[in-house]
Amino acid sequence: QKIDYEQIVLSRSTNWVNQLNQFGASIAKENKIGKLKDVTYNGWATWDYYGRVFTADDVNKNMDQLNKLPLKTNLVQVDGGWWPERGDYTLVHDKIPGGIKAIGARVRAEGKMLGLHFDGFRGDAKSEICKTHPEYFLHDQDGKLFVKTQETPDHKLEHTFFDYSHPGARAYIASCIKNMKENWGVGYFKIDFMCNGLDDFIKGNNKSISFKAYNPAITSVERFRLGMQAMRDAIGPDGYFLGCTAVFGPTIGFVDAMRTGNDINPVYESFGERALSNSSNFYLKSVFNLDPDYMVARAAADEDATVSMEDRKSGGTLTENEAKMWADFVSLYGNIRLNSDNLNTLRPERKAIIMAGLKAPKIDETVPLDLWQHATEKNDAVELLLSHSGKEIYLGVFNWSDKAKEYSLPEFGKSATKVQLEGRHSVIIKYEGKDTFAYLCQKLKRN
């Protein structure tokens, strides 16, 4: 008997950049994704410096400093920790007088967009929504509310997990988002920890657990997508939806943008891993806008008592050249440039690094030219990035090692014939020739 399978091999090529780009384009076509939102965001965010513990005064003082920078910014991102308990996303804790609405009023009055982070797939056993509507959350095989405990320096979290097969859960998260949008003035939604909408990530290594969902006839991926649809509908076509900490596949078609690497820390050892994970996802540029995470430039001397006590957030030894390397990478990747230091305590020379990054244009395409010479382990980052913004072409050279290196790229022009970099240094070179990006990519890439 003959069985006709769907076509699996789309094409073959000896040009790995073209092949990966075609793969990304095929994903977009399959999911009926047209033109992505042509936007560039730059500004400031709370998370990396303050973590979950920040006040309205912290936000306002950093906005004052942001407005003093000699450049135009357009986004202020309020990250996690604004709610009393996770899941209670219509409530704001008492360290933010006037709530998110008051912050939003100032942000909009200054011509900027308000971004807001929340955990779209988890609640907390202590939350009001979990107490009043436990049926909106997953239960274990014995019918008991599933709770996963996590200890942090400032809080004990008792995670619960939304069951979006329940129509009440979907209606609840949609009402939260509509309130954020219509009452608080949020236009940019960063929905984080999205992997926790999938059973395998919730269970972790505990394979003895199984879940009883409201609708047991559907999979966790189907539950996830029901939640995503509710969120997308509530955000609306004019809102910006950034996915974060996600398994990419089931998010495609719902999000406008995706964080393509792990959370950044102001620690040099974090940069190589993040640069590798972000640059390796370059071919998804037609699927969603690419977000590399925040720029950070601080060391211990740039901190005060309000800095987060989260792991690797405080007391660092980051040097100026190391901070510039990450700012250079962010400048060459994606469409968002947000700083997440304390602008009140950041020293002028560090602030200058951040200003240069905030001025970077939206990047239409980034290719890691030497990908196949690296990625042997998670910190083995690529050293050559070719990017373009419209007709402007840039070459980023990154020496992640501790020793001086010389790079010779005469195909790029005289400015790159001999590039000498000390260890832990980078440089961005603007192309002054007449060749196209595609031609340069072919000539410069390392096979």
Side-chain angles (χ1 to χ4, degrees), residues 272-325:
E273 178 184 353
R274 275 65 174 180
L276 179 60
S277 57
N278 282 295
S279 58
S280 299
N281 286 305
F282 76 96
Y283 64 93
L284 295 171
K285 66 184 182 299
S286 55
V287 179
F288 34 59
N289 285 326
L290 309 177
D291 180 351
D293 207 13
Y294 305 130
M295 289 183 289
V296 286
R298 70 183 181 276
D302 301 286
E303 299 167 353
D304 63 10
T306 64
V307 70
S308 172
M309 290 297 106
E310 291 277 338
D311 184 36
R312 304 205 295 173
K313 296 298 187 190
S314 61
T317 60
L318 199 64
T319 63
E320 285 182 47
N321 52 286
E322 291 168 351
K324 182 179 179 297
M325 287 192 78

Side-chain angles (χ1 to χ4, degrees), residues 213-412:
Y214 174 79
N215 183 352
I218 64 174
T219 67
S220 71
V221 173
E222 291 171 309
R223 290 199 312 266
F224 177 92
R225 289 178 67 84
L226 285 171
M228 291 293 289
Q229 188 68 64
M231 295 174 195
R232 178 74 263 183
D233 289 346
I235 291 170
D238 56 330
Y240 197 78
F241 187 166
L242 168 65
C244 197
T245 320
V247 175
F248 294 168
T251 73
I252 293 171
F254 295 110
V255 299
D256 297 302
M258 179 63 67
R259 248 267 309 280
T260 50
N262 290 334
D263 274 10
I264 196 61
N265 295 305
V267 179
Y268 182 72
E269 288 70 25
S270 296
F271 294 168
E273 178 184 353
R274 275 65 174 180
L276 179 60
S277 57
N278 282 295
S279 58
S280 299
N281 286 305
F282 76 96
Y283 64 93
L284 295 171
K285 66 184 182 299
S286 55
V287 179
F288 34 59
N289 285 326
L290 309 177
D291 180 351
D293 207 13
Y294 305 130
M295 289 183 289
V296 286
R298 70 183 181 276
D302 301 286
E303 299 167 353
D304 63 10
T306 64
V307 70
S308 172
M309 290 297 106
E310 291 277 338
D311 184 36
R312 304 205 295 173
K313 296 298 187 190
S314 61
T317 60
L318 199 64
T319 63
E320 285 182 47
N321 52 286
E322 291 168 351
K324 182 179 179 297
M325 287 192 78
W326 181 245
D328 281 351
F329 178 85
V330 173
S331 297
L332 292 174
Y333 185 88
N335 72 316
I336 184 161
R337 325 275 181 240
L338 296 181
N339 174 244
S340 195
D341 295 306
N342 184 347
L343 293 173
N344 297 279
T345 56
L346 197 63
R347 287 169 287 177
E349 59 273 19
R350 305 290 175 121
K351 201 174 288 186
I353 293 170
I354 295 303
M355 281 193 293
L358 291 177
K359 291 178 180 178
K362 176 188 176 185
I363 295 298
D364 299 317
E365 185 173 5
T366 299
V367 174
L369 297 170
D370 55 343
L371 179 63
W372 301 106
Q373 295 179 336
H374 294 280
T376 57
E377 48 89 17
K378 66 180 184 179
N379 287 306
D380 185 16
V382 298
E383 298 182 349
L384 303 174
L385 286 180
L386 190 69
S387 301
H388 77 93
S389 176
K391 295 182 179 180
E392 302 292 332
I393 301 174
Y394 305 91
L395 174 68
V397 185
F398 298 81
N399 181 4
W400 301 103
S401 75
D402 293 326
K403 296 181 180 179
K405 286 188 178 183
E406 182 176 300
Y407 302 83
S408 181
L409 299 127
E411 303 93 335
F412 193 75

